[in-house]
Amino acid sequence: MTRNTTGKTSLTLLGLGAMGTALARAWLAAGHPLTVWNRTPARAAALAAEGARVADDAAAAVAANPLVVVCLLDDASVDEVLAGADLAGRDLVNLTSGTPAQARARAEWARERGARYLDGGIMAVPPMIGVPEAGGHVLYSGSRELFERHRETLAVPAGTTYVGEDAGFAALYDVALLSAMYGMFAGAAHAFALIRTEDIDPTAFAPLLADWLVAMAPAVHQTAGQLRSGDYTEGVASDLAMQVAGVPTFLDTAEQQGVSTELLRPYFELMRRRLAEGSGAEGLTGVVDLLVR
């Protein structure tokens, strides 16, 4: 099938792991002329059959197009892959996972080499790429002008959210959101452990758990509002003193069920510390301040 590439931005993609391959296929399906490169050339073969141009090396791939997207293993890989490439005049979009400090350093590194820079944090897994209804999106930070210039092209694989001129913000948002996700997974793991040895079908319990987590999710807005205002008692329905009083029930139930409390106990200890400071009328927002060193 011949794709209509008229008016479509051409671009280069470095890195064809699971995520890179998904990105490549989305751009190809949308008719964007695409040059690809991967350290293991065999991974590019299927994309070549789908219409991608395969560069002999990373430097040639960078030279092929003004817009260069990088999706590699880690920040060190970006150094290695781009070491011999001429980045002058290039628009470099880095979708490699890293820390905020690495993103800021990479932005300066790119500027010194004559490139414009955007950092990205992918909030999706490969099967969500190119599937708008899946809800995946990519967080971008760095040059707003550069983001606006390529917004339409960047939006092809997944939705786009620009989070600021500071190049480190996309990575920071990414890690913050994923940290909340792992906290949710930890709570779900403890919940399933509690019922594990009982005559309870986990697939029957799961909808109740999912609905409860969804019902509790809006609490993040109250936390955000309290952090902004500085009033941690605003709108509190279940105060810290009451919640700390209920902690023994959670710990005793876990012990009776033969379940470790190692996922819950650190959070409960923070709650107790905050209460000891005389903050019983608050909700749980004060825990945030205990975590900031």
Side-chain angles (χ1 to χ4, degrees):
M1 187 175 91
T2 301
R3 296 186 178 92
N4 179 15
T5 62
T6 304
K8 299 294 181 71
T9 299
S10 61
L11 69 157
T12 287
L13 175 63
L14 304 177
L16 298 176
M19 182 58 74
T21 297
L23 293 169
R25 289 199 163 118
W27 277 311
L28 287 170
H32 287 266
L34 181 68
T35 298
V36 298
W37 174 88
N38 192 70
R39 196 188 307 270
T40 305
R43 288 191 175 180
L47 294 172
E50 295 174 34
R53 175 180 176 270
V54 181
D56 292 333
D57 53 44
V62 170
N65 295 294
L67 176 58
V68 178
V69 179
V70 181
C71 187
L72 298 168
L73 177 64
D74 53 25
D75 187 65
S77 301
V78 178
D79 269 333
E80 295 169 10
V81 168
L82 294 178
D86 180 5
L87 296 176
R90 292 297 180 265
D91 293 340
L92 182 63
V93 179
N94 186 14
L95 301 184
T96 304
S97 295
T99 69
Q102 287 173 330
R104 290 165 182 143
R106 186 62 60 193
E108 179 61 21
W109 176 93
R111 187 193 66 78
E112 291 171 351
R113 287 158 179 77
R116 294 167 291 273
Y117 185 82
L118 269 181
D119 202 77
I122 302 176
M123 304 303 301
V125 292
M128 298 170 71
I129 299 299
V131 185
E133 61 271 23
H137 64 280
V138 182
L139 304 162
Y140 289 98
S141 60
S143 169
R144 177 178 284 278
E145 186 277 329
L146 186 58
F147 173 74
E148 295 297 342
R149 181 188 307 171
H150 296 298
R151 181 200 288 262
E152 185 175 339
T153 300
L154 296 176
V156 168
T160 61
T161 303
Y162 180 78
V163 295
E165 292 277 350
D166 186 320
F169 277 7
L172 183 58
Y173 274 60
D174 180 38
V175 173
L177 292 170
L178 291 174
S179 295
M181 177 194 75
Y182 280 115
M184 180 190 71
F185 287 165
H190 186 85
F192 279 117
L194 288 173
I195 69 165
R196 185 66 169 152
T197 59
E198 302 289 348
D199 186 19
I200 298 174
D201 182 351
T203 64
F205 177 72
L208 296 173
L209 176 57
D211 287 348
W212 177 244
L213 292 175
V214 169
M216 291 297 99
V220 302
H221 298 294
Q222 183 182 62
T223 299
Q226 290 177 349
L227 288 170
R228 173 185 280 181
S229 71
D231 181 1
Y232 295 177
T233 64
E234 181 183 355
V236 170
S238 300
D239 65 32
L240 185 59
M242 183 181 74
Q243 294 200 54
V244 169
V247 164
T249 298
F250 293 92
L251 300 180
D252 291 346
T253 300
E255 182 178 356
Q256 292 163 17
Q257 294 299 114
V259 173
S260 169
T261 59
E262 61 194 295
L263 291 175
L264 294 185
R265 193 175 290 276
Y267 190 69
F268 287 154
E269 289 303 318
L270 287 167
M271 290 166 57
R272 285 169 168 157
R273 279 176 53 196
R274 186 68 181 178
L275 180 61
E277 295 176 354
S279 305
E282 296 178 357
L284 297 172
T285 299
V287 169
V288 175
D289 292 339
L290 293 180
L291 292 172
V292 178
R293 293 183 293 180

